[in-house]
Amino acid sequence: MPASPPIDKHTEFARCFESNKISTFAAFHWLALAFKDMTRAPMLSLIYGLIFTIIPATIMWLVYQSGTHLVILPAAVAFALIGPAFAAGLYDVAWELEKGHTPTFMHSLKSMFRNPAGEWGFAVLLMVIMIVWMRLAALIHALYPNVADPTFEQLSAFLTLGTLVGGVLMASVFAISAFTPQIMMERRVDIMTAVVSSMHAVKSNVGAMLVWCALIVLLVLLGFLTGTAGFIIIMPLLSYASWHGYIAIIKTKKPRGYE
């Protein structure tokens, strides 16, 4: 019986698209381009803005119904990072504008099914991470001092562990989700190729990604402070900017000819 061939431990299980190096504050340029897209497609932006406003409004309702503050931070961050996964329609609007086409609502709806297997798989992946996050938050809450007015020293273990776990999970989910939906929409590749490429792009542009992440957090907080009404503008703006960020960072063999 012939011996089995040796296993190549360096086999690449997923491709990784190359990424460009961008400036630290490139995200502000993406937002400027996003604002321009909104002025060129105001009705489509408004329609999607209204649709996405329902999502955080529902989250706030669930928080109110649950009667616990434990779900607030994970839900807010999950919305900020999961939101782009459901923004394929807005990515399509920005893409059509870049190609000089007139975007339509029906065309943007069809774009949501360009890579259904990858998009559903990615949604499930993020949902699992969110559930794990909320379970960890509940476990960490066990460290909360069982006294009426805890001191900072009594809170230190709870705050330290909560910050470390939350920070690691937030960074991980951001790296996974930063460009994965856009890659799967334009390239129609498998989910692992998209995830690995997204993580590589974030790793290659840490400074710019920190700025972009901070802007996302600030805008999402602003949306919640306005009672979710601000998301009518904020979600299309973030979605368009995410698309422009993807175009700026992820390389293609053939130049696209637009930003």
Side-chain angles (χ1 to χ4, degrees):
M1 181 175 177
S4 301
I7 297 175
D8 183 5
K9 296 182 179 180
H10 301 288
T11 300
E12 189 174 40
F13 291 95
R15 290 179 293 162
C16 180
F17 298 129
E18 295 183 9
S19 56
N20 295 310
K21 282 283 187 179
I22 59 173
S23 65
T24 303
F25 299 102
F28 290 97
H29 179 57
W30 305 341
L31 287 173
L33 293 172
F35 183 77
K36 186 183 297 184
D37 288 341
M38 291 186 68
T39 61
R40 296 171 65 190
M43 288 306 299
L44 284 175
S45 300
L46 178 61
I47 290 171
Y48 277 104
L50 288 171
I51 293 172
F52 286 118
T53 299
I54 296 173
I55 301 175
T58 303
I59 290 175
M60 293 187 71
W61 180 81
L62 290 173
V63 170
Y64 175 77
Q65 290 295 314
S66 67
T68 175
H69 63 279
L70 291 177
V71 299
I72 297 175
L73 182 59
V77 176
F79 166 67
L81 298 177
I82 292 176
F86 300 97
L90 287 166
Y91 297 153
D92 179 76
V93 173
W95 194 8
E96 287 291 280
L97 289 171
E98 287 171 333
K99 292 186 289 189
H101 300 167
T102 300
T104 65
F105 186 64
M106 287 305 299
H107 191 279
S108 65
L109 286 179
K110 291 179 182 178
S111 70
M112 297 180 184
F113 303 96
R114 287 174 61 84
N115 190 350
E119 290 168 2
W120 277 106
F122 182 59
V124 170
L125 172 63
L126 290 177
M127 184 171 20
V128 169
I129 294 175
M130 184 176 67
I131 292 172
V132 171
W133 191 335
M134 296 182 71
R135 290 296 87 202
L136 288 174
L139 290 173
I140 293 171
H141 190 259
L143 295 175
Y144 194 87
N146 191 23
V147 294
D149 296 307
T151 64
F152 180 77
E153 184 177 355
Q154 292 173 318
L155 285 170
S156 59
F158 169 74
L159 294 174
T160 301
L161 184 59
T163 301
L164 287 174
V165 173
V168 169
L169 284 171
M170 183 175 179
S172 300
V173 177
F174 177 77
I176 290 171
S177 63
F179 304 111
T180 295
Q182 300 93 314
I183 292 172
M184 289 193 297
M185 178 178 167
E186 185 189 32
R187 311 292 185 89
R188 301 190 188 186
V189 297
D190 61 278
I191 185 173
M192 285 307 299
T193 294
V195 168
V196 170
S197 299
S198 178
M199 294 177 68
H200 177 263
V202 171
K203 181 181 177 182
S204 301
N205 295 279
V206 175
M209 292 298 98
L210 286 174
V211 173
W212 177 225
C213 184
L215 287 173
I216 292 175
V217 172
L218 288 174
L219 288 172
V220 169
L221 287 176
L222 179 61
F224 279 108
L225 289 174
T226 58
T228 74
F231 287 115
I232 295 175
I233 295 175
I234 289 171
M235 281 310 299
L237 192 69
L238 286 176
S239 297
Y240 291 148
S242 295
W243 176 260
H244 289 294
Y246 160 69
I247 295 299
I249 292 179
I250 304 298
K251 289 183 178 180
T252 55
K253 293 181 179 179
K254 182 180 179 181
R256 297 183 179 90
Y258 47 80
E259 292 189 90

